[in-house]
Amino acid sequence: MFQVNTGVMSRLVMLAGLAVLTGCHKKPETPPPPVVAPAPVAAPKPLPPPPARKPGLWQTTVSEEGSPEKPQVLKICIDAVTDQHLGILGTDLSGDTCTTKTFSPQGEGNWGVLAECAMGAGVVTEYSGSVTGDFNSHYDMTVRSQTTGGSQMNRVTNYVVSSKRLGACAADQKPGDVINDGVKMNLFGMAGVDRGGAKAPASEAPAPDVVD
């Protein structure tokens, strides 16, 4: 028969007891923290639409910084439809060419202006500036215009625009009529578009009238 060394047996029993004790006193594993779903990101609030000019007859003066030419003075009969089509300077219907046009409120009666307008043939004009006024009776604008994409048109121009409402349009005026240096034209006729935005036949474009 095999004889078991009592010393070895005692050590084995002791080690087994220690293993049992170690297992009994083992700290329970801490469960992983729960996975928290990220809070939904709120969509940015849409910017308010640009302020609308009150319908009526508006006189707009445009000065070009550094130009020896006298300021351009226009009188335009504006209604809601005409106002929506006007360009950044408020003197033509180039507003429809702008791929982006943002008026950001910057306090009571103040807005920041950013716009990018495609002028055709790869020419792009970017505008940045500020506007002050209520658009019911008057507003003033300072704007920087940068035109790129045309070999003869790459330039930077700083404009100062001042516009005031003179009152209601005259009885013989229709929306879009503009008087410049005594010459009366219609912006929609000049642009070859009807008031709905569709191109009008060239034969329908009215000839300018000379105003005494």
Side-chain angles (χ1 to χ4, degrees):
M1 295 180 61
F2 292 101
Q3 291 184 350
V4 179
N5 188 307
T6 56
V8 173
M9 181 61 71
S10 299
R11 284 196 294 274
L12 290 175
V13 172
M14 184 179 296
L15 290 174
L18 288 174
V20 173
L21 290 173
T22 302
C24 293
H25 291 83
K26 186 178 180 181
K27 295 182 178 180
E29 293 184 1
T30 303
V35 178
V36 179
V41 178
K45 293 182 179 180
L47 291 172
R53 300 167 184 83
K54 182 177 180 180
L57 183 63
W58 285 77
Q59 177 175 290
T60 300
T61 303
V62 181
S63 303
E64 183 178 326
E65 185 179 278
S67 173
E69 301 293 330
K70 65 179 182 179
Q72 184 181 28
V73 181
L74 306 173
K75 293 181 180 179
I76 308 176
C77 179
I78 296 176
D79 68 346
V81 174
T82 306
D83 184 68
Q84 292 172 5
H85 291 281
L86 286 177
I88 297 299
L89 301 181
T91 59
D92 57 27
L93 300 184
S94 63
D96 293 337
T97 69
C98 298
T99 54
T100 60
K101 184 166 57 175
T102 303
F103 282 72
S104 304
Q106 297 181 345
E108 186 67 26
N110 294 279
W111 292 268
V113 180
L114 288 175
E116 182 175 304
C117 307
M119 312 307 291
V123 178
V124 175
T125 299
E126 297 177 326
Y127 297 93
S128 60
S130 60
V131 188
T132 301
D134 59 12
F135 282 80
N136 285 318
S137 61
H138 76 284
Y139 65 88
D140 297 299
M141 174 189 297
T142 57
V143 64
R144 178 182 185 271
S145 165
Q146 180 171 346
T147 300
T148 57
S151 59
Q152 303 298 322
M153 297 185 65
N154 293 327
R155 57 179 303 198
V156 173
T157 308
N158 293 312
Y159 293 101
V160 176
V161 180
S162 180
S163 191
K164 61 182 179 180
R165 185 177 184 274
L166 302 179
C169 297
D172 62 344
Q173 290 178 316
K174 60 181 181 292
D177 280 355
V178 55
I179 299 173
N180 182 18
D181 285 336
V183 178
K184 179 182 176 182
M185 300 164 284
N186 186 272
L187 295 178
F188 291 96
M190 292 168 58
V193 299
D194 62 26
R195 285 171 49 78
K199 281 286 183 181
S203 59
E204 294 183 9
D209 297 327
V210 177
V211 178
D212 294 333

